[in-house]
Amino acid sequence: MSTEHVTSTDETTHLPKRMRWFDGFAMAMTMPAALIATLGASITGLGGWGAAVLWAISMILAMGVNWIYTELATMFPNSSGGIAHYAAEAWKSRAPWVAPITGVGYWLPWGTNLATYGAVTGALIQAQWFPNEDWVIQLGPISITFPILIGLGVIGVMYLINVIGVRVTMAFVYITAGILLIPLFVFIVFPLFSADWAPLDLTWKLEGIEGLHTAIVWLYIMAWTTFGIEVCATFAPEYRDSVKDTTKAIKASVLFCLGVFFVIPLTLGGYAGEAAIADNPATFFVASFASLVGGAADVMVLCLIASLLLIMTTSVADASRVLFNMGKERVTVPSLGVLNRRGVPFRSLNVMLVMNVVILVVLQNPLAIIVTGNLGYILTHFFAVSGFFLLRKDRPDAVRPIRLPRFFVPLSVVLSVILAIILIVGATGFSTTGYGGFLELGIALGLLALGVVIWLFVQRSTKRDAGLGSGGAPTETPRTETERTDAARTD
C-alpha cells in the first residue's frame, strides 16, 4: 500500500495550515545571520566597497528570482518541496531526472547545516567560556572533543524542537531572530555616530577581466546567503492563506535583506577597517561589537550563538519538509512522505538527525559537504527559474492565483543565463578565493548522481508494483500528489 494513502490518525500527508506570512519572514532572518558569518571574507577579498556593491548585486538577482517564485508558489500551494518541486514540475516532460538532481541539490546544503553550525557553536562556547576543556575521548577511529560534544547536544535540541511541532519551532525562531536584531542594529547604526567610521578608506579590488572573474566566483559563494529567502516558499502549504502569505513573506524578506546586505559592509567595514578584518575575517565583529557597546564580549558571543541557532532551526525545518515532499512525490524513498499526528515530517527529521550526527562525529569538519552544496543549490535555482518560462509555455491555462506581468517571461530567460554563468565560472573557479577545489566538485557531482540512482530505483519499484495488482493484473501507475491535484482541477 502506498504511503500516500495512509489514513490513520497517527500519520498523514497533509501539512497543517498554522503559519502566517510574518512566520516565513522570521525564517528568512536566517540570511542576515549567514551574512555575519561570511562578511569578513568578502570584505577581505573584494574590498569594502567591492563587497557592498557585490552583495547588493547578488541580492538584486535574488529579488528577481524570488519575485518569480511568488507565481510558482501559488501554482503549487500544496507543495512543501519549494523551488526543487517547481523545477521538477516544469522539466518533468523533458528531463524527468531534474527531479532527483534538484531535490538532492536543494536538500543537501540546508540539511547539513546542523552539523556545520553545531560544530561552530561548540567551538565558540569552548573559546569564550571553557578554553581549558581540551580533553579527547577516543572511540576507535573517532575522536570526541568538547566542541563536538556540545555540537551533538545542539543537534539533539534542534531535532526535539522541530519534533514537537511548528508552533514551538516558530516560537524559538522568533526568540533567536529577535536576539539577532541586536547585533544587526549595532552594526548598522552605531558606527554612524563614531569618529572611527571611515567609509572612504574602504577599497575596491575588482579591476579588469580578473576582477570580473573574481566577482562572478564570489556571486557563486554569495548565492547561498542571498538566494536563501526562497525558504519562505517551502512553507507555502502551511500558511493559512497560501497565496497571500507566501507572496508577502517573500517580498518582505527581499526588501529587508537588500537593505541589510548593502549597508552592513559599509557601516561595519568602515568602522573596523579592512586591515583588522583581514587579520581575523571570521570573528572581527566580536571586537567591533565590544568596542561599540563597551566590552560586552559575552553578549556578542551569545548573540552570535543565537544567530547560529536560528540558521539551524530554519535549516532543519526547511530541509525536512523538502525531503518529506520528495518522498510524497516518489522522488526518493516513498516512506519519507508521511507526517506524524502533530503534522511533523518525523521520518525525514530522523534521517537528518542520523546524517548530521555522522557528519559531525566522523568528519568533524563538514566544510567539503557544505562547499559542494552550493553547486546543487544554484543548479536548482537555474532549473526553477528556467522552469517559469517552460510552465508559461506548456501550461498557459493553469491556475495562477498570482500572474506576473509578461516581461517576467524574458526576464526569467535572462536570469537563467546569468545563473548558468555563475554556476559554471563559480564551480570551476575555487582557486580564486580558496573556497574549495576540484575534489569538492567531484563530491558534489557524486552526491547528485546518487540521488538519480535512488530515484531510478524508486521509479522501477513503483512501476513493478503497479504492474502486479490483484491477481497479477496490471493496475494504473500511482500518481503523485501534484498529478492528482492537477487531475482534480481538470475535473
Side-chain angles (χ1 to χ4, degrees), residues 21 24-25 28 59 62-63 65-71 73 83 86 229-234 239 244-257:
W21 71 267
F25 175 75
M59 195 64 232
M63 178 170 62
V65 167
N66 279 278
W67 228 267
I68 286 174
Y69 294 156
T70 60
E71 176 173 312
I83 64 173
Y86 312 154
I229 52 179
E230 45 73 20
V231 67
C232 299
T234 303
Y239 295 127
K244 293 181 180 179
D245 285 333
T246 302
T247 305
K248 288 181 180 179
I250 290 178
K251 291 182 177 179
S253 301
V254 163
L255 297 175
F256 178 79
C257 291

Side-chain angles (χ1 to χ4, degrees), residues 340-411:
N340 66 10
R341 60 184 178 182
R342 293 179 179 269
V344 173
F346 184 65
R347 297 179 183 178
S348 298
L349 285 172
N350 288 338
V351 171
M352 291 185 58
L353 174 66
V354 173
M355 178 185 68
N356 280 278
V357 168
V358 170
I359 288 177
L360 181 59
V361 173
V362 176
L363 299 180
Q364 301 209 356
N365 182 13
L367 180 60
I369 300 296
I370 300 305
V371 168
T372 58
N374 239 17
L375 175 71
Y377 186 66
I378 297 176
L379 187 63
T380 302
H381 279 285
F382 166 78
F383 281 119
V385 174
S386 59
F388 175 84
F389 169 80
L390 295 178
L391 287 170
R392 279 289 186 95
K393 179 176 179 294
D394 297 343
R395 307 183 193 181
D397 298 325
V399 177
R400 289 178 170 85
I402 293 177
R403 188 180 184 89
L404 297 174
R406 289 186 178 180
F407 73 84
F408 274 91
V409 176
L411 177 61

Side-chain angles (χ1 to χ4, degrees), residues 74-294:
T74 57
M75 284 185 69
F76 309 103
N78 296 320
S79 169
S80 59
I83 64 173
H85 182 70
Y86 312 154
E89 281 296 309
W91 284 89
K92 66 181 181 181
S93 62
R94 294 174 173 83
W97 46 263
V98 167
I101 285 181
T102 56
V104 174
Y106 181 81
W107 173 75
L108 183 64
W110 282 106
T112 54
N113 276 346
L114 278 178
T116 303
Y117 294 107
V120 174
T121 301
L124 282 172
I125 291 175
Q126 181 186 43
Q128 186 66 26
W129 294 295
F130 303 98
N132 297 322
E133 297 291 337
D134 54 358
W135 47 263
V136 178
I137 299 176
Q138 200 68 37
L139 301 175
I142 298 174
S143 300
I144 303 296
T145 62
F146 181 78
I148 297 301
L149 186 62
I150 294 295
L152 290 172
V154 170
I155 289 176
V157 171
M158 294 299 101
Y159 168 80
L160 291 175
I161 287 175
N162 278 270
V163 165
I164 293 173
V166 68
R167 292 320 307 173
V168 174
T169 301
M170 287 311 308
F172 190 79
V173 165
Y174 276 113
I175 292 172
T176 52
I179 296 174
L180 172 63
L181 291 176
I182 297 173
L184 286 181
F185 180 80
V186 171
F187 293 157
I188 291 174
V189 177
F190 280 34
L192 302 178
F193 299 95
S194 172
D196 295 327
W197 184 49
L200 296 181
D201 291 342
L202 297 174
T203 62
W204 176 275
K205 298 182 180 179
L206 299 173
E207 303 291 345
I209 298 299
E210 183 179 350
L212 177 61
H213 180 264
T214 300
I216 295 175
V217 174
W218 269 100
L219 286 174
Y220 176 86
I221 297 171
M222 293 174 174
W224 166 243
T225 302
T226 55
F227 283 51
I229 52 179
E230 45 73 20
V231 67
C232 299
T234 303
F235 296 92
E238 295 176 76
Y239 295 127
R240 294 182 183 178
D241 188 326
S242 293
V243 174
K244 293 181 180 179
D245 285 333
T246 302
T247 305
K248 288 181 180 179
I250 290 178
K251 291 182 177 179
S253 301
V254 163
L255 297 175
F256 178 79
C257 291
L258 177 61
V260 169
F261 288 174
F262 177 73
V263 172
I264 283 187
L266 299 180
T267 56
L268 184 58
Y271 176 80
E274 291 184 7
I277 295 173
D279 289 340
N280 203 349
T283 59
F284 77 93
F285 44 82
V286 175
S288 298
F289 188 90
S291 62
L292 284 168
V293 299

